[in-house]
Structures are given as C-alpha cells and as structure tokens.
Amino acid sequence: MIPPAETPELRNIAIIAHVDHGKTTLVDQMFRQSGAVGQGRRMQERAMDSMELERERGITISAKNCSVVWHEVKINILDTPGHADFGGEVERALSMVDGAILLVDAAEGPLPQTRFVLAKALEMRLAMVVVLNKIDRADARPAEVLDEIYDLFIDLGASDEQIEFPVIYAIGRDGTCKGSMEDEMGDLTLLFDTIVKAVPPPRYDPAEPFQMRVANLDYSDYLGRLAIGRVVHGRAHESDALVCVGEAGANRPLRVTRLQVYDGLEIRQVSGVGPGEIAILAGIDEVEIGDTICTREQPRALPRISVDEPTVAMRFGANTSPLAGREGTIVQARKIRERLHKETLQNVAIQVEEQPDDSILVKGRGELQMAILIETMRREGFELTVGRPQIIYREEGGQRLEPIERLFVDCPEPLIGVVSEKLALRKGRMLNLVNHGTGRVRMEYSIPSRGLIGYRNEFLTDTRGSGILNAYLDGYEPYRGDFPSRLTGSLVADRNGDAVAYALFHLEPRGTLFIGPGDVVYRGMVIGEHSRDRDLIVNPCKMKKLTNMRASGRDDNILLAPVQPITLERAIEFITDDEAVEVTPKSIRLRKRELSASAR
C-alpha cells in the first residue's frame, strides 16, 4: 500500500471570527505584509468585503478565497461569515481547508456566532491557531478571554491535539502581533510562521486518480459556469476529458476549457493543478455544489457537503398591489421563480418549493439570510411580495418538535427586569446570568426560534440601543406552547390616494405612523402601528373641510412627529400572518394580504 503524500508548499486555512472582531481588517494587513499587494499599488480597505451589502453592513455574508505567499509556501485563505444564518457558506469553506485561525476580540471574548463556526471546525478535526485581537483596547482582558476560549474548546469536545493550540496576541488594524503579553510588538511574521508550522500541508493518495469536490460556484460571461473546489487527489490539465458525478450518481462528461487558481486577490490562469490546490474549473454548465469532478476511467464520488436543515420559511410572490410595476423593472412571477432557483445553485443552505397559488416557499437558516436575499433581489430591479417568516417544525413519534435557540443577552444591569419579562412571555428560559461588576450583565436563555421573530427591534427599544443580542441554533425540543406574536394592531388605509398632513395629525394619537405627508397610499396598505391589540381602518387622505368663514388660530401650520424609515428587517419582523411586505427597488411598504376590508 502506498503511504499518503503531502504538498509541503501549500497551506489551506479558514479564518473564524464573530461579527466585528476584526477578521477582514487582519486579512488586509496579511496582504500588505506578505507582498500580495504590489509595491506602490493602492488597496481598498476591507478588500475581502467585495459585495456592496457587506461594505454597508460591515459583515461578511459570503465565503471568499484569496492567497498569500510566505517564504515560498502558498497560503490559501478562506474568509468565512461570522453569522449562523450563513452557515451554508461556513460548511462549504471549511470543507476545503486543513486548519483555521480563531480570531477573538480581547475585550468581548468568544461570542455565540464564534461558537457555531468553531463547533463545525472542530467536528472536521481542523488544526487551530488562536489570535486574540484588539489587545490595545482600554477594556481588553486577554487572560480572562483566553480562559473562556479554553472553556469553549472543552465544552465543544475538542481533542487533545486541538486544545494545544498556539496563541498570538495581535492588533489587526496596525498589522502587529506578539507571542505573549510580555513580548515586544512586531509585524505579522510570527503569525505567518505559526500558520506554516501549526497547519498541516494537504495530504493525498498518490495512487488515486484526479478528484475535486465542488464547494462553490461562480459565473463568467466569457467562460460560463465556474466550479470552485479543492483538488483532493491527482492532477488535472487544460483540455482534459473528465466527468462530473452528480447527487443521483449520474456522470456528465466535461472538457476542461480553463483552469485558474487564486493569486492574492486576483485569479491567475494555470496549465495544471495538483493535490491540495483550490482550483477554479471552467467547462461544465450543469454542476451543483457537492458534485465530484473526476476522471472518466475511474469515476468515484467523494462524500457530499452536508448542510444543517433550514429552520425558517418565507413565501415569495409577485407584487400584486395597485402600485405594481411603477418602480421595478422585473415584476413577473416567472422571473422571480427563475432568480430563486438560480440562488439555490449557489447557496446550498436555501431550498425552494413551488406552491399551488403561484407563490414560492423559500426555506433558509434565519431572518437575516432571507433579508439579505430580498435586499439583493430588489437592488437587481425586482418587485416582489414576501410574507412573515414561518418556523419549520419536525414531527417525531407523533410529537411536534420546534427549533430552539441558545440566546445570549448583554445589557445594562437596570434593564434585567424588562428583558427577562419580555423573554419569559416568549417562552424563554434563563439558563445563566453573569455579572462582572462593570454595570452590564450577560444572560443566557433557551428560547424557541419563533420567539425571536419580531423581538430584536423591541429589544433595542427596551434597552435604548445599548443591548446586544446573539443566538445560535441549539437543537429541537417539544413545542413549548402558543404566545402572542404581537400585542398591537395595524392602522390600515381604506382608500387610494396621497397622505395628507391634516389627516395624519389626527391619526397620531392612535399609534405610530410609518408614512409622511405626500406619500402614496392604497386600500389595504398598513400605514402605522395601532396602540391597541386590534386593526383600525383609517382614512389618511382626509382633507380639512373648507368654508368661507375665517378660522381662528394657526391650524395651517401642522407639526407632525418625525417618521422612522421602515427597514427591510424591521418590516419582516413587524408583519403578522395576514400581512405582507411589498418590496421594490425604491420602496418598502406594508400591506394586508387581502386588500379589501370585506374580504378580510
């Protein structure tokens, strides 16, 4: 038997971090110090956040690849999302690497989303390197945070080898690091050397023919469909005749028209790729994530990438409001269906089901993932209507099971009461409460996933914007019982027209308005939140009765309270089951599913 061989000139690593712990900023500095960015060449900040939405929100949404070269060793770096809603991206990225850098804020410590991605990495037996970032913060507590990281590794069942991880203390923004708190700060040489030493090179079987598992997809106007994945065994060259083994085991022939690899932030064409390399292969149109590309003589499929089941479903459909077609360029239900099916080809965590009423049920991992998909579509020119997120239940032994979240709340100490009361109403159970004596507390809850739908905005209001919520899926439990999703009703317009300041002024005592004077409204549109627990049909277009008598007082100078703009996430969380969100490239409106009051 031929012993396994290694590719010593290669290292494949993923970077794991919670949102806003400095992951993308550290990668920027790695580029600069490794020479991946040429001399005199300008590089934009947060170069790995290539999507417009990522730059706006300051989060990583899709896993992306790049590479740096350090002392003749090529290090392929995969930037993973730090949010559990994008877990499908995480699982795909981790399937291509042999090690991971766990980046943790030296003040905040390991947070829930870090736990989610780290658990996946430990399951795959990846070698770990821990980087404590932002040690220059005034509230940094590196020793305590390191203890918390050890506790987290033990809690997640890390092996003895995994828990003996090297630790590096860094200031990612400045591109400096050191081996212990007593050492002098230096550049990132220590980090690069540690990666090369701690992360094993890719291993392969020299006796095996070419095999590559597709972990990502892209599209080029010139080359067509691009399959991205790690070469597990063997070598491939341009013009090779290969086959793609699909989920059902069917073999689709292909001819390699172009091979490319990552070179810094760019992509470089090569004549051949070997084991361990992350390759971009062109030459096949019908390919899905998880497929295996291999030789025609020995077509053997690798294990497919497994992804956690979706927990949330939302109904997508064409825009049927009286304002349909005014602001968007793509309004047909057929086009929306095609776009959603295209999304499933690139995102394994999303599933699509056709519905009898010509709508589409989209299943995913969370509200944020759905909101990102809707926001992307509206920027592409789509008009659509989306319903309230619905939780996907399981049936086992005749019992209904529901997804349960592990929720972490960080808030000022005086607000414990109001937060605990609201979470208890939503069937949340407190598991732990930690008070460090700093004026803030950290609470841990077990709560149904449906309990968090619509709660985040309420939480921000209750804590005056000073609270932090984080959660990850903790498994399934028996159904915990019903609770009201919203304690208030809606203000619903009774006619088409333009909103008038006079009418809105007299509606303000009834609740909170979502529209201002001059906004277009239509019958069945939700224009505000009623202060009571039932819907109220109102006339926002009512004009003041005019007479030939002079009115006393200055009633022409009406002052209205400022209207807080409706964001997509706020709209999705606010609506009830009989309401929907109308999304266009320019507007977000709330409406009743049935516009006619008599039909409702």
Side-chain angles (χ1 to χ4, degrees):
M1 184 172 172
I2 302 173
E6 292 182 344
T7 312
E9 69 279 5
L10 265 181
R11 298 291 187 277
N12 295 322
I13 62 159
I15 300 191
I16 296 169
H18 188 85
V19 176
D20 205 30
H21 278 202
K23 166 168 48 90
T24 312
T25 308
L26 180 68
V27 174
D28 280 2
Q29 292 294 342
M30 291 175 75
F31 278 132
R32 290 190 170 97
Q33 295 189 25
S34 67
V37 181
Q39 200 69 29
R41 217 180 123 197
R42 289 197 62 188
M43 180 179 135
Q44 64 178 9
E45 289 289 312
R46 295 189 291 121
M48 289 293 276
D49 282 351
S50 54
M51 290 170 59
E52 188 181 343
L53 272 172
E54 290 178 320
R55 295 191 159 276
E56 287 177 15
R57 293 166 181 257
I59 60 172
T60 301
I61 293 169
S62 62
K64 290 174 286 296
N65 309 4
C66 63
S67 73
V68 298
V69 177
W70 185 254
H71 294 171
E72 298 183 355
V73 175
K74 181 180 180 183
I75 303 171
N76 283 314
I77 302 171
L78 279 78
D79 189 12
T80 62
H83 202 288
D85 278 19
F86 307 111
E89 299 282 341
V90 171
E91 284 144 352
R92 280 155 40 183
L94 296 182
S95 70
M96 293 192 278
V97 299
D98 304 294
I101 295 174
L102 175 63
L103 189 73
V104 180
D105 189 305
E108 295 182 3
L111 292 175
Q113 310 298 349
T114 312
R115 182 191 181 99
F116 168 79
V117 188
L118 179 61
K120 297 285 181 191
L122 294 177
E123 272 176 37
M124 296 179 177
R125 298 292 172 196
L126 301 182
M128 303 302 300
V129 176
V130 169
V131 177
L132 287 178
N133 195 25
K134 304 187 184 180
I135 57 170
D136 57 332
R137 280 181 59 163
D139 55 349
R141 45 189 188 94
E144 291 174 47
V145 168
L146 187 56
D147 288 341
E148 290 173 15
I149 293 170
Y150 278 117
D151 291 343
L152 179 59
F153 270 72
I154 293 165
D155 193 28
L156 294 175
S159 66
D160 292 344
E161 296 81 29
Q162 287 172 323
I163 213 162
E164 292 295 327
F165 49 76
V167 181
I168 293 172
Y169 301 86
I171 304 173
R173 183 193 58 217
D174 300 341
T176 56
C177 69
K178 56 185 177 180
S180 72
M181 289 301 290
E182 293 75 36
D183 294 348
E184 287 290 318
M185 292 299 280
D187 59 14
L188 295 180
T189 298
L190 175 64
L191 176 60
F192 285 120
D193 290 342
T194 305
I195 291 169
V196 173
K197 185 179 174 184
V199 176
R203 306 185 80 189
Y204 65 97
D205 188 342
E208 288 287 331
F210 176 77
Q211 281 181 309
M212 176 184 124
R213 178 167 48 208
V214 180
N216 209 343
L217 297 174
D218 205 346
Y219 185 81
S220 163
D221 291 334
Y222 303 102
L223 302 172
R225 175 70 68 200
L226 301 174
I228 304 168
R230 171 175 162 167
V231 179
V232 181
H233 303 294
R235 297 188 66 83
H237 302 85
E238 278 193 2
S239 304
D240 278 1
L242 304 172
V243 293
C244 176
V245 183
E247 189 170 9
N251 295 350
R252 297 187 291 275
L254 71 107
R255 185 168 295 279
V256 182
T257 55
R258 185 171 293 186
L259 280 172
Q260 297 167 306
V261 295
Y262 292 96
D263 185 6
L265 286 166
E266 310 293 328
I267 293 172
R268 176 169 54 87
Q269 185 177 350
V270 291
S271 57
V273 290
E277 184 61 89
I278 294 173
I280 305 164
L281 185 147
I284 182 168
D285 288 331
E286 292 184 36
V287 60
E288 294 181 6
I289 289 168
D291 290 355
T292 302
I293 295 174
C294 48
T295 60
R296 292 188 181 183
E297 296 74 33
Q298 294 175 283
R300 281 207 290 274
L302 293 162
R304 293 186 75 83
I305 298 169
S306 63
V307 177
D308 290 345
E309 292 180 29
T311 57
V312 169
M314 282 179 72
R315 198 177 289 268
F316 285 54
N319 184 11
T320 55
S321 86
L323 305 179
R326 291 193 188 182
E327 297 173 353
T329 53
I330 310 171
V331 296
Q332 304 94 328
R334 175 178 55 84
K335 293 282 189 183
I336 294 170
R337 188 177 293 106
E338 286 173 5
R339 174 65 180 82
L340 291 171
H341 280 291
K342 181 183 172 186
E343 186 69 24
T344 61
L345 296 176
Q346 295 181 315
N347 192 339
V348 283
I350 281 184
Q351 300 173 11
V352 169
E353 287 181 12
E354 303 279 347
Q355 299 297 300
D357 60 354
D358 209 30
S359 64
I360 302 119
L361 194 69
V362 180
K363 297 180 178 180
R365 297 284 274 274
E367 298 162 71
L368 180 60
Q369 185 189 30
M370 294 295 191
I372 294 293
L373 172 59
I374 297 165
E375 181 66 34
T376 305
M377 288 178 68
R378 75 182 283 228
R379 292 183 183 207
E380 292 170 3
F382 283 88
E383 277 195 20
L384 62 153
T385 303
V386 296
R388 179 179 169 82
Q390 303 291 334
I391 296 301
I392 300 171
Y393 298 102
R394 282 184 185 174
E395 290 285 339
E396 280 185 19
Q399 191 175 33
R400 181 161 64 154
L401 304 181
E402 66 173 339
I404 301 293
E405 306 268 346
R406 184 66 63 93
L407 176 70
F408 294 81
V409 181
D410 189 316
C411 69
E413 195 174 338
L415 301 175
I416 294 175
V418 65
V419 171
S420 302
E421 182 186 352
K422 293 285 178 70
L423 290 174
L425 282 174
R426 295 167 176 268
K427 305 294 181 184
R429 299 171 186 163
M430 187 185 287
L431 304 177
N432 194 16
L433 189 149
V434 179
N435 191 339
H436 291 297
T438 58
R440 295 182 71 86
V441 294
R442 186 172 288 188
M443 296 182 282
E444 190 176 336
Y445 278 85
S446 168
I447 186 170
S449 295
R450 60 196 166 97
L452 292 180
I453 295 176
Y455 176 65
R456 294 179 196 274
N457 280 313
E458 198 177 323
F459 172 77
L460 287 175
T461 304
D462 290 343
T463 61
R464 302 173 193 85
S466 62
I468 302 170
L469 268 190
N470 285 294
Y472 66 88
L473 185 66
D474 199 29
Y476 284 76
E477 286 185 15
Y479 187 72
R480 289 191 183 177
D482 297 331
F483 56 82
S485 61
R486 200 174 93 199
L487 302 174
T488 56
S490 299
L491 298 175
V492 186
D494 68 346
R495 68 196 65 203
N496 301 350
D498 294 338
V500 176
Y502 174 80
L504 297 181
F505 178 75
H506 289 92
L507 289 177
E508 276 189 344
R510 302 283 189 166
T512 307
L513 296 177
F514 299 154
I515 62 168
D519 287 353
V520 180
V521 297
Y522 54 82
R523 183 178 64 162
M525 179 173 159
V526 176
I527 64 161
E529 181 179 8
H530 191 200
S531 53
R532 301 197 177 181
D533 61 354
R534 62 180 184 273
D535 292 345
L536 183 67
I537 298 174
V538 298
N539 177 8
C541 309
K542 184 179 180 183
M543 306 281 285
K544 186 183 177 185
K545 290 279 191 297
L546 299 177
T547 70
N548 59 357
M549 301 292 289
R550 182 177 175 184
S552 63
R554 299 179 58 193
D555 57 0
D556 57 332
N557 188 17
I558 291 173
L559 294 176
L560 294 171
V563 175
Q564 184 182 357
I566 286 278
T567 62
L568 188 56
E569 284 94 335
R570 187 180 167 211
I572 290 170
E573 289 183 352
F574 176 80
I575 57 173
T576 55
D577 292 336
D578 70 330
E579 294 170 352
V581 183
E582 176 192 345
V583 182
T584 75
K586 296 180 181 176
S587 310
I588 294 170
R589 303 183 185 95
L590 307 184
R591 52 165 285 184
K592 290 290 183 182
R593 282 195 172 281
E594 284 287 349
L595 296 179
S596 164
S598 56
R600 291 199 297 274

